[in-house]
Amino acid sequence: MSPVITLRDISVNKRLANITLDINKGDCVHILGPNGAGKSTLLSIMAGVLETEHGEASLLEQSLQQWPLGALATFRTLLAQQSEAVFAVSVKEYLSFFTSEPTFELPSLLEATLEVTGFLQTPLNRLSGGERQRVEICRALLQVWPAIKRGEALLLLDEPLQGVDIRHQYALMALFETLCNKGNTLVLSSHDISLSANYSYKVLLMKLGTNVSFGLTESVLSVKNLEQTFDCHFAVNKRDDFLDIQVCAPIVLNQMW
Ligand SMILES: Nc1ncnc2c1ncn2[C@@H]1O[C@H](COP(=O)(O)OP(=O)(O)OP(=O)(O)O)[C@@H](O)[C@H]1O
C-alpha cells in the first residue's frame, strides 16, 4: 500500500532542511525535539497549510499544493498550538460549527475521553487553558469524525497534551491508539518523551530543522539519538513492555550564583 504522506527533500527557509520520510496508513507517529526544532513547521507542511520552498510533499500520491482545501477538510484535521480564545460563543455553539450533523451530538468515545459535556454552555473565553485545549482537540476530531469512523482520517496534532491534566493525557493516548488501530493515521508533536516512548509506533526526532532519526519507537529512542537531539544525558531502560526514559544530570545552576 502506498504511503499516506510522502515527503521528499523538504526544505523551508532556515526552518526545515532536507526532510525525507513516509507516513503510512495507521501509523501513530510522535515528533520530538527541542524548541524551534521544526515540529510545528513540519506539521503545517503535512497539513498543506504551508508551502515548501524546496522538495515535494504529497498526500495520497497527490501533491499537497494541488489538494483543494474543501476536500482536505473532510478527512485531514490540524490542531495548531493554542491561541487566545476571543469568541464569547458557548462551547456547544463552537463545536456545532465543526459537525455536519443537523443536531449536535457528541460521539460517546470523544465524551468519554475529553469530558467536555460539563462546560457545553460555558463561553469559550471563560474556560481554563486545559479545558480549552480539550475543547480544541474535540473540535479537531469532530471536524473529520465521519472519516475517523471509516478509518480514513489524517490527524495532525501540534502539542495536543499542552495544559491537559494527567488523567486526560493518558485517556487521550489510549484514544489515539484506538483510532490508529482502526486505520486512521496520526502525527503529533510533544515534549513528553516518556509518554511518547510508550504510546507511539514510530518516533521522529528533530533538531535544527533536520531529521535526526525516524523509525520504530524503541530503536529511535536510543541514548545516542536522544543525547544528540536534546544535548543532555539520558538513561533508557526496558522493563517488560515499558520503556523507561530518564534525563540524567540536568543543567546545574548553583555554580552561577
Ligand atoms: N511564521 C514563521 N516565520 C518564520 N520563521 C518561523 C515562523 N514560525 C516559526 N519560525 C521559526 O522556525 C523554526 C522552527 O519553529 P517551529 O515552530 O516549527 O519549532 P517547534 O519545534 O515546533 O518548536 P516548539 O517546541 O517551541 O513549539 C524556529 O526557529 C522559529 O523561530
Side-chain angles (χ1 to χ4, degrees), residues 107-192:
S108 52
L109 194 57
L110 287 190
E111 174 53 19
T113 311
L114 292 160
E115 298 181 313
V116 297
T117 299
F119 33 83
L120 279 180
Q121 304 309 328
T122 308
L124 205 53
N125 56 2
R126 288 216 203 132
L127 296 176
S128 76
E131 290 167 346
R132 172 86 202 283
Q133 181 71 350
R134 278 156 51 200
V135 169
E136 283 303 322
I137 296 167
C138 195
R139 185 275 303 159
L141 299 180
L142 264 183
Q143 184 200 313
V144 292
W145 195 250
I148 288 177
K149 284 200 288 188
R150 295 193 305 271
E152 292 172 358
L154 171 61
L155 314 172
L156 302 169
L157 311 177
D158 198 356
E159 296 195 30
L161 303 182
Q162 198 178 41
V164 172
D165 63 55
I166 195 78
R167 193 166 70 87
H168 290 99
Q169 286 188 21
Y170 277 86
L172 274 171
M173 288 295 114
L175 172 68
F176 295 156
E177 213 167 40
T178 304
L179 299 184
C180 290
N181 286 340
K182 297 280 180 209
N184 296 292
T185 307
L186 174 115
V187 186
L188 66 80
S189 67
S190 176
H191 286 288
D192 191 329

Side-chain angles (χ1 to χ4, degrees), residues 13-15 33-42 81 158-159 191:
N13 181 31
K14 294 182 185 159
R15 297 169 69 183
N35 293 139
K39 304 180 293 298
S40 305
T41 307
L42 191 62
Q81 280 187 40
D158 198 356
E159 296 195 30
H191 286 288

Side-chain angles (χ1 to χ4, degrees), residues 14-249:
K14 294 182 185 159
R15 297 169 69 183
L16 291 178
N18 312 108
I19 302 280
T20 290
L21 54 88
D22 289 341
I23 308 276
N24 297 319
K25 181 171 166 57
D27 265 352
C28 175
V29 178
H30 289 207
I31 311 178
L32 301 171
N35 293 139
K39 304 180 293 298
S40 305
T41 307
L42 191 62
L43 283 166
S44 300
I45 296 277
M46 289 179 183
V49 297
L50 182 68
E51 285 192 20
T52 61
E53 204 160 76
H54 178 268
E56 183 59 35
S58 308
L59 174 61
L60 299 174
E61 297 187 300
Q62 181 176 319
S63 168
L64 265 157
Q65 310 297 312
Q66 286 164 11
W67 271 93
L69 280 179
L72 272 184
T74 63
F75 72 99
R76 179 280 281 136
T77 191
L78 173 67
L79 174 79
Q81 280 187 40
Q82 213 179 98
S83 55
E84 199 70 16
V86 286
F87 309 118
V89 295
S90 72
V91 168
K92 184 175 173 181
E93 283 172 292
Y94 178 63
L95 291 177
S96 303
F97 297 148
F98 297 93
T99 161
S100 49
E101 304 296 326
T103 54
F104 178 77
E105 202 177 329
L106 206 54
S108 52
L109 194 57
L110 287 190
E111 174 53 19
T113 311
L114 292 160
E115 298 181 313
V116 297
T117 299
F119 33 83
L120 279 180
Q121 304 309 328
T122 308
L124 205 53
N125 56 2
R126 288 216 203 132
L127 296 176
S128 76
E131 290 167 346
R132 172 86 202 283
Q133 181 71 350
R134 278 156 51 200
V135 169
E136 283 303 322
I137 296 167
C138 195
R139 185 275 303 159
L141 299 180
L142 264 183
Q143 184 200 313
V144 292
W145 195 250
I148 288 177
K149 284 200 288 188
R150 295 193 305 271
E152 292 172 358
L154 171 61
L155 314 172
L156 302 169
L157 311 177
D158 198 356
E159 296 195 30
L161 303 182
Q162 198 178 41
V164 172
D165 63 55
I166 195 78
R167 193 166 70 87
H168 290 99
Q169 286 188 21
Y170 277 86
L172 274 171
M173 288 295 114
L175 172 68
F176 295 156
E177 213 167 40
T178 304
L179 299 184
C180 290
N181 286 340
K182 297 280 180 209
N184 296 292
T185 307
L186 174 115
V187 186
L188 66 80
S189 67
S190 176
H191 286 288
D192 191 329
I193 303 172
S194 297
L195 210 53
S196 290
N198 292 291
Y199 281 96
S200 60
Y201 308 158
K202 291 181 184 169
V203 164
L204 168 63
L205 284 179
M206 294 187 71
K207 183 180 186 179
L208 297 172
T210 67
N211 168 356
V212 176
S213 183
F214 175 60
L216 293 176
T217 298
E218 202 182 322
S219 55
V220 167
L221 293 183
S222 64
V223 169
K224 181 169 168 280
N225 285 340
L226 285 167
E227 293 189 346
Q228 185 187 342
T229 307
F230 292 98
D231 294 315
C232 47
H233 297 296
F234 286 86
V236 179
N237 292 296
K238 183 143 198 238
R239 296 195 196 109
D240 301 320
D241 275 343
F242 183 74
L243 206 54
D244 180 20
I245 299 191
Q246 307 271 342
V247 185
C248 315

